[in-house]
C-alpha cells in the first residue's frame, strides 16, 4: 500500500539552492565549500554544527537538526502542501539517461509482512541509531529507493502528468536536470493507489537500514500519526 502525503518542500525560487545529494556522498572539501558558500543548502540542516564551527554528535546533534529545519521553515525557505499529493520525479543525467519514479509514503506493515522484499541483512546497532534519529527529528529527508514491476497503466498516468509544466525544473552542478510534478487530482491518486494494491511485491533497491529503522519506529509507536509510513521513491 502506498499513500499520498502533504510534503514539506523548498519554495520554487530556492529549490536549486536547497537541493543536495546524500550527505555521505560529498568529500570533506566539497561539503565545506557548499556549507560556506550556500546558506540555503540542505546540508546546513544535516550538519548543524557548521554554524557553531564545532563537531556535534548524538542526541544533541539530532535536536539541532530539528531546530535548523524549523529555522528554514520560519525563514520561508520551505512550504507545505495543503492537500496530500503523489510527486513524480525525473532526473536526466549529463549523458542524457532518464530516471523517474513516484515519491510516496510506503507501508511499514508491508515491510514487516514481506510484501516489500529485502535482499540485505541489517545491523541492529544502525537500526536503533536511526530510530532514535526519527524519534527526535521527526522527518525523513532521504527516501528509500523501491522498485516495482513494469506497469502499463501507471506509465500512462505518469506520461500524462509530464505533459504539463513541472513544479520544479532545475539543473545541479553535477550536470543533472531535475524535474518534479505534483499529482493532485483525486482520480489519478486513486488510480495509482489501486494499481499498487494489485502488485504482489515491491523490492528494496537502496535504504535497507532506513526502512528497518522505520519499521522499528512503527512497532514502538503504532498510533503515531505518520509512523506507519516512510518516505519512498518508487521506480
Amino acid at each position: 500500500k502506498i499513500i499520498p502525503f502533504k510534503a514539506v518542500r523548498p519554495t520554487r525560487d530556492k529549490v536549486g539552492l536547497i537541493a543536495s545529494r546524500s550527505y555521505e556522498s560529498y568529500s570533506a572539501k566539497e561539503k565545506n565549500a557548499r556549507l560556506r558558500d550556500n546558506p540555503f543548502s540542505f546540508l546546513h540542516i544535516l550538519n548543524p554544527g557548521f554554524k557553531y564551527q564545532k563537531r556535534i554528535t548524538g542526541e544533541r546533534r539530532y535536536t539541532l537538526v530539528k531546530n535548523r529545519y524549523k529555522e528554514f521553515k520560519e525563514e520561508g525557505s520551505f512550504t507545505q502542501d495543503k492537500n496530500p499529493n503523489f510527486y513524480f520525479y525525473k532526473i536526466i543525467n549529463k549523458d542524457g539517461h532518464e530516471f523517474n519514479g513516484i515519491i510516496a509514503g510506503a507501508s511499514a506493515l508491508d515491510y514487516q509482512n514481506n510484501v516489500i522484499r529485502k535482499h540485505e541483512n541489517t545491523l541492529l546497532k544502525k537500526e536503533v541509531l536511526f530510530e532514535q534519529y526519527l524519534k527526535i527529528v521527526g522527518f525523513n529527508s532521504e527516501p528509500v529507493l523501491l522498485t516495482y514491476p513494469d506497469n502499463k497503466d501507471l506509465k500512462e498516468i505518469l506520461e500524462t502528468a509530464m505533459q504539463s509544466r513541472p513544479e520544479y525544473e532545475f539543473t545541479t552542478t553535477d550536470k543533472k536536470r531535475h524535474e518534479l510534478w505534483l499529482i493532485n487530482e483525486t482520480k489519478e491518486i486513486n488510480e495509482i493507489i489501486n494499481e499498487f494494491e494489485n502488485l504482489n511485491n515491491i523490492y528494496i533497491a537502496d535504504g535497507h537500514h532506513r526502512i528497518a529503522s522505520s519499521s522499528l519506529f512503527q512497532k514502538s509507536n503504532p498510533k503515531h500519526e505518520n509512523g506507519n509510513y516512510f518516505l519512498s521513491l518508487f521506480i
Side-chain angles (χ1 to χ4, degrees), residues 13-204:
D13 62 310
K14 294 186 180 71
V15 63
L17 295 169
I18 291 174
S20 73
R21 304 197 308 267
S22 176
Y23 190 77
E24 292 78 13
S25 69
Y26 294 94
S27 67
K29 184 177 180 181
E30 187 180 16
K31 194 182 302 175
N32 287 331
R34 289 176 182 269
L35 287 164
R36 183 188 67 238
D37 298 333
N38 181 3
F40 296 106
S41 175
F42 196 81
L43 295 178
H44 284 285
I45 294 176
L46 301 178
N47 185 6
F50 184 84
K51 183 178 181 180
Y52 308 102
Q53 293 301 301
K54 60 182 179 181
R55 188 170 181 266
I56 301 170
T57 59
E59 289 188 19
R60 186 167 177 236
R61 176 176 174 252
Y62 299 161
T63 300
L64 288 174
V65 166
K66 184 176 183 178
N67 290 342
R68 288 293 277 142
Y69 167 70
K70 287 181 177 179
E71 286 177 12
F72 268 57
K73 289 180 74 175
E74 290 166 0
E75 291 166 359
S77 297
F78 289 147
T79 184
Q80 182 167 21
D81 292 317
K82 294 180 180 180
N83 299 305
N85 303 309
F86 287 124
Y87 302 85
F88 182 48
Y89 182 41
K90 179 168 74 172
I91 301 175
I92 303 173
N93 68 16
K94 62 182 179 181
D95 298 317
H97 297 138
E98 181 181 313
F99 308 89
N100 56 58
I102 303 167
I103 300 174
S107 170
L109 295 177
D110 280 349
Y111 173 75
Q112 294 165 19
N113 294 326
N114 206 34
V115 175
I116 297 176
R117 299 290 186 92
K118 63 181 180 180
H119 64 268
E120 291 179 8
N121 292 322
T122 53
L123 300 172
L124 181 60
K125 183 179 179 180
K126 282 191 174 183
E127 292 179 25
V128 172
L129 188 68
F130 191 61
E131 182 198 13
Q132 180 93 12
Y133 171 90
L134 288 174
K135 285 180 178 178
I136 296 173
V137 175
F139 65 82
N140 294 116
S141 59
E142 184 177 0
V144 172
L145 185 61
L146 302 174
T147 66
Y148 63 92
D150 287 338
N151 182 291
K152 177 176 173 290
D153 292 327
L154 283 172
K155 184 177 180 182
E156 287 180 359
I157 293 169
L158 300 180
E159 286 180 346
T160 299
M162 283 193 294
Q163 293 175 12
S164 61
R165 182 190 175 189
E167 174 72 8
Y168 296 150
E169 187 175 15
F170 64 98
T171 301
T172 44
T173 53
D174 54 2
K175 296 184 179 180
K176 291 179 180 176
R177 194 170 100 212
H178 303 259
E179 298 178 0
L180 182 136
W181 290 262
L182 276 60
I183 300 178
N184 50 21
E185 296 294 334
T186 302
K187 179 176 179 290
E188 282 77 12
I189 287 175
N190 289 335
E191 286 175 350
I192 290 171
I193 291 172
N194 290 336
E195 289 300 326
F196 272 92
E197 286 181 346
N198 290 329
L199 297 177
N200 292 323
N201 291 116
I202 303 291
Y203 301 89
I204 305 172

